[in-house]
Amino acid sequence: LRRAGVAVRGMSTMASRTAVVTGGSSGIGRAVAASFRSKGWDVHNISRTPCSIEGVVNHAADLMDPNQAANAGNVIAETLGDSSVVCLVHNAASHDSDSAACFNADNMAIALALSIFSPGALTNKLLPKMDRGSSVLFVGSTLSDKAVANRASYVTSKHAVVGLMRSYAQDLFGSGVHTAVVCPGFTDTPMLRRSMDDEEAAGEFIRGFVSVGRLIDASEIADLIVFAAENPSLNGSVLHANGGQKE
């Protein structure tokens, strides 16, 4: 059966469960890999550096190049059985500083390659293997629906992620494959730590700006992503996990 150009596959009770995570070597991506592994999923990581979690299958690729993303997708697809529930987690991203006055085309190209072009190429390769109950999930940001100064490429790419997810929700209508964006707030990751010039001042800012008074732990985001994978009713949703930010 096909609907709206998408193959609809029946899910076997013996279907394997496989998570494919981009950028799973550190931060939120690594926490996502760990959370899926703890629940018995097979996990594949695609990144330039390997994920150190036991049992994770690593695929070396530079996701700034959509062709490398597609090649990794082909390799993973060959490992999947005839009946597979697949959760594809598009997590890899960049976090550069640029602005209207200091526009950097290279930064923008990298941000869009990581957030849009490579996710599109990878999804295209794995979608034929995705049975009902599978999912395509994106890691967005609080900045997926608002903006701050001096983060032009990051804000643009995270807004684009929501648009891509919503288009997928329509493209995959009736296929049994669901999609969503999980939008973390200030999360305790190496990437965020690197951006802090003064950790004490940053901590004071967080306590005054975030209702829960602390950074979000990467494991909290990971558990929400696994929840989204296992709950198709969230199809088309944008899920914010930021601890309640002051407006």
Side-chain angles (χ1 to χ4, degrees):
L1 174 66
R2 288 183 176 270
R3 181 176 297 180
V6 177
V8 180
R9 302 175 51 157
M11 184 175 67
S12 165
T13 56
M14 298 301 291
S16 63
R17 298 193 303 170
T18 301
V20 179
V21 184
T22 66
S25 59
S26 67
I28 290 173
R30 187 180 190 280
V32 170
S35 188
F36 274 112
R37 284 296 296 151
S38 73
K39 293 181 177 293
W41 289 60
D42 296 330
V43 177
H44 294 257
N45 165 57
I46 305 172
S47 61
R48 288 180 293 186
T49 55
C51 175
S52 61
I53 295 170
E54 185 177 356
V56 172
V57 180
N58 288 293
H59 304 268
D62 185 344
L63 294 171
M64 290 187 288
D65 180 358
N67 290 323
Q68 292 193 37
N71 290 339
N74 282 331
V75 171
I76 295 169
E78 290 177 358
T79 72
L80 299 175
D82 292 333
S83 184
S84 300
V85 171
V86 178
C87 176
L88 178 51
V89 183
H90 295 300
N91 165 73
S94 61
H95 194 254
D96 293 308
S97 297
D98 47 13
S99 67
C102 299
F103 180 79
N104 187 310
D106 291 337
N107 285 356
M108 187 67 75
I110 289 169
L112 292 175
L114 291 171
S115 295
I116 302 299
F117 303 148
S118 283
L122 183 57
T123 301
N124 178 258
K125 297 301 182 182
L126 291 179
L127 194 58
K129 290 286 190 174
M130 300 173 81
D131 285 335
R132 301 185 71 87
S134 294
S135 55
V136 181
L137 305 179
F138 298 84
V139 178
S141 167
T142 300
L143 299 179
S144 286
D145 63 8
K146 59 182 180 181
V148 295
N150 302 315
R151 287 290 184 270
S153 59
Y154 183 77
V155 170
T156 300
S157 65
K158 290 302 185 182
H159 274 63
V161 160
V162 173
L164 186 60
M165 181 278 292
R166 287 175 171 157
S167 72
Y168 280 8
Q170 298 304 308
D171 293 338
L172 299 173
F173 188 91
S175 69
V177 177
H178 65 281
T179 184
V181 176
V182 173
C183 295
F186 292 102
T187 305
D188 194 356
T189 64
M191 185 170 71
L192 181 65
R193 293 282 180 181
R194 286 193 297 270
S195 71
M196 292 181 179
D197 296 326
D198 183 334
E199 287 202 21
E200 185 175 344
E204 183 176 347
F205 167 77
I206 293 296
R207 287 188 290 273
F209 186 72
V210 179
S211 181
V212 296
R214 60 172 177 82
L215 295 173
I216 306 301
D217 193 82
S219 66
E220 295 176 282
I221 304 301
D223 289 346
L224 180 56
I225 288 170
V226 175
F227 181 81
E230 296 177 340
N231 286 272
S233 63
L234 296 173
N235 191 24
S237 296
V238 178
L239 307 171
H240 283 276
N242 58 37
Q245 295 184 355
K246 185 177 292 184
E247 298 293 338

